[in-house]
Amino acid sequence: MRHIKDSTFIFRNFDDSQTANNLSSMIIAGFENPNAPLLKVYTDSEKYDSVAAIKDAVWKGNAWGAVIVNNGFGKQLEQALSEGAEYDPTSAVTLVTEESRHYFKVIMVNKAAQTVLTALEGPFSQQMFQQMVTADGANATRVIDQANANALITPFSYAVDNVAPYHFDMSMYILSVTLSLCMVVGSFIPSNMWKSIEEPFYKQVRITHVIALRAFINIIWAAFICIQATGIVFAFHGPLWSPSTRDFFAMFAIFLLNTLSFTFFIDCMQNWVHPRFLLGGYFTTLFVNIAAAVFGPELNNHFFRILYAVPFNNSGLMLRTLLTNGSYNKLNFAITINVLWSL
């Protein structure tokens, strides 16, 4: 990914053993790969001085993820290698992730981080074995006999801690985009419905009545479509999510705001744009928003950050915040953008 260095990971080593320090150096060097996220080291900083603080930072969206060398890792590994004690390699490192940002980008960034950590397992195993063999009075046979085999083969691995699960699999994410697309297409109907009214009707009413009628038709149709869309999402939600009545109305409000932003924008376009250019304007608006929803503005060229200002992206952002129980909360920004499109 071209701009993957725009995604930052927090790194902290909570273990002061030499073994943990060696592993930390390898991890820091591994993330210097141009295809890996940017690793910010806070081992000697007062900031993020606890695992809870790091997880909270990731949950809030201050970082895309975190890599933590857990306290006690060095001592546990040394006991497993010298005394054959029980050992779980995944207790060495915790990879903290979240899914409240753009779903496709999160998958790629997390996969890049996991690739780096997985690639270090072999070299670190060789390093530990060589250190034990070269110790005073040690030999390869003795090391193998006394060590826990699991610790000898895989002295370190990692466990993934997802602090903001999305609650939907990939098919449900595509369904959400499809629902939004249906609402956009549906917004063309109320915007053109008023044209079917016969001309004599307009001679009997005031202009304010016509404006009120058009707004009424737009709102009623949008509400009708959004209730159906919300019902479909609730009917096919994932097994990890237990939605409440509050979630239903929150999702309905997000869909409704998304639909109205397009409806009233298209309504204004019909008033100000020449009919021969309307179709091009419709599809340009539609395709730009679909691109924002599917590809997302994050980790793209800075020019494409303009997609932060389109309704689809902000509606998706609000939905992900809702479905991850408030993680990466940018609701004020997202609601403002969609309201401005509705005005």
Side-chain angles (χ1 to χ4, degrees):
M1 191 186 301
R2 184 177 178 183
H3 297 278
I4 195 170
K5 288 298 182 183
D6 289 341
S7 61
T8 59
F9 269 59
I10 297 170
F11 175 77
R12 182 138 194 162
N13 177 12
F14 286 102
D15 189 53
D16 58 359
S17 66
Q18 184 59 46
T19 301
N21 291 335
N22 293 341
L23 177 59
S24 296
S25 299
M26 294 183 68
I27 292 175
I28 294 172
F31 273 85
E32 292 177 355
N33 186 312
N35 295 319
L38 178 65
L39 197 69
K40 291 190 175 182
V41 181
Y42 291 93
T43 297
D44 299 321
S45 172
E46 295 181 357
K47 192 175 184 181
Y48 306 133
D49 58 354
S50 67
V51 174
I54 293 175
K55 290 183 178 181
D56 185 64
V58 175
W59 188 82
K60 290 180 178 178
N62 296 331
W64 285 69
V67 179
I68 301 171
V69 178
N70 296 315
N71 185 28
F73 152 66
K75 182 178 181 180
Q76 292 175 10
L77 179 58
E78 290 170 5
Q79 290 178 344
L81 293 175
S82 61
E83 303 172 9
E86 291 293 326
Y87 180 71
D88 179 11
T90 60
S91 65
V93 173
T94 299
L95 177 63
V96 182
T97 64
E98 55 82 37
E99 295 177 347
S100 54
R101 295 174 183 265
H102 191 279
Y103 194 69
F104 295 150
K105 299 297 176 65
V106 165
I107 290 176
M108 290 185 284
V109 170
N110 289 344
K111 183 177 180 180
Q114 292 178 23
T115 299
V116 172
L117 294 176
T118 301
L120 295 176
E121 292 180 1
F124 185 71
S125 175
Q126 295 176 3
Q127 183 186 89
M128 292 299 301
F129 184 76
Q130 290 173 358
Q131 288 179 359
M132 295 194 65
V133 170
T134 56
D136 293 340
N139 58 66
T141 303
R142 179 181 172 186
V143 169
I144 294 173
D145 289 341
Q146 70 184 11
N148 180 312
N150 195 28
L152 189 63
I153 297 172
T154 311
F156 114 88
S157 187
Y158 61 92
V160 177
D161 186 354
N162 186 353
V163 296
Y166 183 58
H167 296 305
F168 287 110
D169 58 15
M170 188 67 70
S171 63
M172 289 306 303
Y173 180 78
I174 295 174
L175 175 59
S176 299
V177 175
T178 304
L179 290 171
S180 297
L181 178 60
C182 292
M183 288 187 292
V184 173
V185 175
S187 67
F188 290 97
I189 297 177
S191 297
N192 289 276
M193 191 179 297
W194 64 274
K195 293 183 178 181
S196 63
I197 301 176
E198 297 294 333
E199 182 179 352
F201 171 80
Y202 293 102
K203 295 180 180 180
Q204 302 176 30
V205 296
R206 298 177 180 179
I207 187 64
T208 54
H209 294 165
V210 175
I211 295 174
L213 176 63
R214 291 172 63 173
F216 176 77
I217 292 174
N218 289 340
I219 293 173
I220 292 299
W221 179 258
F224 176 72
I225 292 293
C226 292
I227 288 177
Q228 295 184 62
T230 306
I232 291 174
V233 172
F234 269 65
F236 295 98
H237 69 79
L240 298 178
W241 187 41
S242 300
S244 63
T245 304
R246 174 181 171 274
D247 293 327
F248 180 91
F249 285 107
M251 185 171 292
F252 170 75
I254 293 171
F255 283 150
L256 182 62
L257 184 58
N258 179 74
T259 306
L260 290 179
S261 65
F262 277 96
T263 299
F264 288 115
F265 177 78
I266 293 170
D267 210 33
C268 291
M269 187 185 295
Q270 291 175 337
N271 293 333
W272 295 98
V273 178
H274 192 279
R276 71 176 62 182
F277 300 118
L278 278 177
L279 188 60
Y282 289 162
F283 282 101
T284 300
T285 304
L286 181 62
F287 291 149
V288 168
N289 278 274
I290 292 175
V294 174
F295 301 108
E298 296 173 307
L299 307 185
N300 280 331
N301 186 289
H302 286 196
F303 172 79
F304 294 103
R305 305 294 168 88
I306 194 174
L307 297 179
Y308 280 114
V310 299
F312 253 37
N313 175 70
N314 290 283
S315 296
L317 183 61
M318 288 188 284
L319 281 173
R320 289 192 294 275
T321 297
L322 172 66
L323 297 174
T324 55
N325 296 323
S327 176
Y328 194 51
N329 191 338
K330 305 293 181 184
L331 290 179
N332 291 339
F333 175 82
I335 291 174
T336 300
I337 292 297
N338 280 20
V339 168
L340 288 175
W341 273 71
S342 303
L343 297 179

